Amino acid sequence: ASILIPLPSAHADHQSVNAKIYQENNAAVVISEKNLTSSSLLSIINRLMEDTNMLKLIGNHTRQFARPDSASEIVDIMFGELNK
């Protein structure tokens, strides 16, 4: 399971946008930097460690985003663009 803490100063707040997509699809736990404390992080970690069903759910939903061949896809796109 992933715990995402988006960097609020990222250009166009793209990290928050991406994290929200994962959160909406039950593929990660998201906490904002302004709400991040050692106790809030520890609470999330403890909850995940205690709830194996939640861990499995998040893991299964995370697989929706997997792109195992992404490196090859990027190379194909790059060389395809160069050959145009």
Side-chain angles (χ1 to χ4, degrees), residues 65-78:
F65 295 95
R67 299 289 297 260
D69 298 323
S70 59
S72 295
E73 290 176 28
I74 291 168
V75 170
D76 291 344
I77 291 168
M78 289 173 58

Side-chain angles (χ1 to χ4, degrees), residues 25-74:
N25 287 280
N26 295 314
V29 176
V30 178
I31 184 168
S32 68
E33 192 175 277
K34 73 177 186 175
N35 292 327
L36 180 64
T37 64
S38 58
S39 61
S40 65
L41 183 59
L42 182 59
S43 175
I44 293 169
I45 292 169
N46 285 335
R47 185 171 42 129
L48 290 171
M49 296 301 290
E50 293 169 1
D51 191 343
T52 56
N53 289 329
M54 181 184 275
L55 282 175
K56 288 177 187 175
L57 176 75
I58 291 172
N60 289 335
H61 289 167
T62 300
R63 285 185 193 86
Q64 298 174 50
F65 295 95
R67 299 289 297 260
D69 298 323
S70 59
S72 295
E73 290 176 28
I74 291 168

